[in-house]
Amino acid sequence: MSKAHFGLIGLGVMGENLVLNAERNGFSSVVYNRTFAKTEEFLNGRAKGKNIEGAIDLKEFVEKLDRPRRILMMVKAGNPIDAVIKQISPYLEQGDLLIDGGNSLYSDTERRVSELEKQSFGYIGMGVSGGAKGAYEGPSMMPGGTRSSYDQIESLLQKMAAQVDDGPCVTYIGPGGSGHFVKTVHNGIEYGIEQILSEAYDLMKRGSGDSCKEIAELFAYWNSTEELSSYLVEITQQCLLTKDPLDNTDLVENIMDKAGQKGTGLWTVVSALKLGAAVPTIYASLNARVLSSMKSNRIRAEKILSNPKDGNLEFFKDSQFREYLTDAVVLSTISSYAQGIDILQLASKEHNYDLNMQSIAQIWKGGCIIRSTLLKRIQEAYNNNGSLISLLLDPWFSAQINRRLKGLSLIVSNAALAGIPVPCLSSTLDYLNSYRTSRLPQNLVQAMRDCFGSHGYERLDKEGSFHTDWID
Ligand code: NAP
């Protein structure tokens, strides 16, 4: 019996769909799952009649694969990945390739690439985005590791990936943990956009008093515009229109307002702070999730802390409110991407990843959760100017900012007066106002630091470091 082209470990939501995708594209496959009952269920269910076999243990799994073996691990990130590597290594032979397609911490991937290559195995750390549907139909994939290892799987990945007008949504990202780093930042941008859209919904609901159906209409309009057409806007509209099967009311209104997180948003912000990237919009989205999780505290606080609003919600009922809201959402979304790209550019220098922003924008245009028409503009921006210092300074994006900043300011100021929190929108406003200001008040911060700690300061008019005895 001929051996299979492709092996998959981990029949979770992603693994099942990815192996069906590979098989549909002509790669006969073998699957292994720690709990064999799940393998049996899969083989007798979705994999029935397909060119997919199962293995009861890792020895049998490895033996059923053609050499050099190409094995994708889709198991929980962290210790389970190390456990699987340890269990499978004794059966692998020189040149075999392991691919970690989960959401692993990039520094873990750096370590694993180096450890596995010492044993003459290949190792690729690959971010995969698109959820279950994307995994089946074609995800966006961000593989990092040694170039020669990537070359072994390029044709497989190119067939499995989502396809857009200028090619498949996969490219070699760079060495070491770069693929997982880029996926982490992708998720950070995703956190930002999800929170931005939720704030827009809240302003329409609490400010204007709109129904879910009315709010969904604006999302449908946004999804028809170049600036906001995106997967997240599209699914938000669908979520808002979905009825609760229990009582036919709007399902979103029956969902607990506590947002979960699995780590990638936190890793994005920690990496940004370590690298010296300013990411206020993304950071605000993470804080918003943390605050949302304190539900019982918020219930108590609502009874004690009053809303300073003056009771005037006229702004939210004005015919221009939706235009201003569009401005706010467009600029916040642009800022989320711009901040993510800033992290990638700093990481590229710090870790010698040699990331190509134009290619990263290209592979995010299809399959992934942050796919949007804006990415075409982002791709063009870095195509036109590979050394662009910030997306905000590209002519098309700067024109958007100059045109829409007033709308964002009106939304944030009126939300503040109404007592409606808009952490991402307000952080974006401060981000843009800070970024476009050549003289910030940090001269005074420097004076204080020198006053209490003799940290020294630079002057505007002379080179060098200076110190003053501020207090007699
Ligand atoms: P998951 O729930 O994260 O993982 C389930 C799989 O991991 C199961 O096959 C499970 O086997 C296996 N597993 C857990 N601990 C193990 C261990 N110690 N040894 C061996 N196998 C172990 O499933 P998922 O949602 O498909 O995610 C897989 C990876 O992709 C994760 O890193 C996730 O963060 C990432 N990811 C998920 C999505 C998504 O939308 N779900 C999107 C992109 C990336 P058993 O059946 O035996 O428990």
Side-chain angles (χ1 to χ4, degrees), residues 10-15 33-35 38 74-77 80 83-84 101-103 128 131-132 183:
L11 285 169
V13 182
M14 295 297 283
N33 193 68
R34 179 182 58 174
T35 312
K38 222 186 235 180
M74 285 309 294
V75 302
K76 274 193 202 315
V84 171
N103 281 335
V128 180
K183 173 67 192 331

Side-chain angles (χ1 to χ4, degrees), residues 287-300:
N287 279 323
R289 288 197 189 190
V290 174
L291 263 163
S292 82
S293 69
M294 302 173 180
K295 176 79 175 173
S296 57
N297 293 14
R298 291 188 287 113
I299 290 171
R300 286 183 67 188

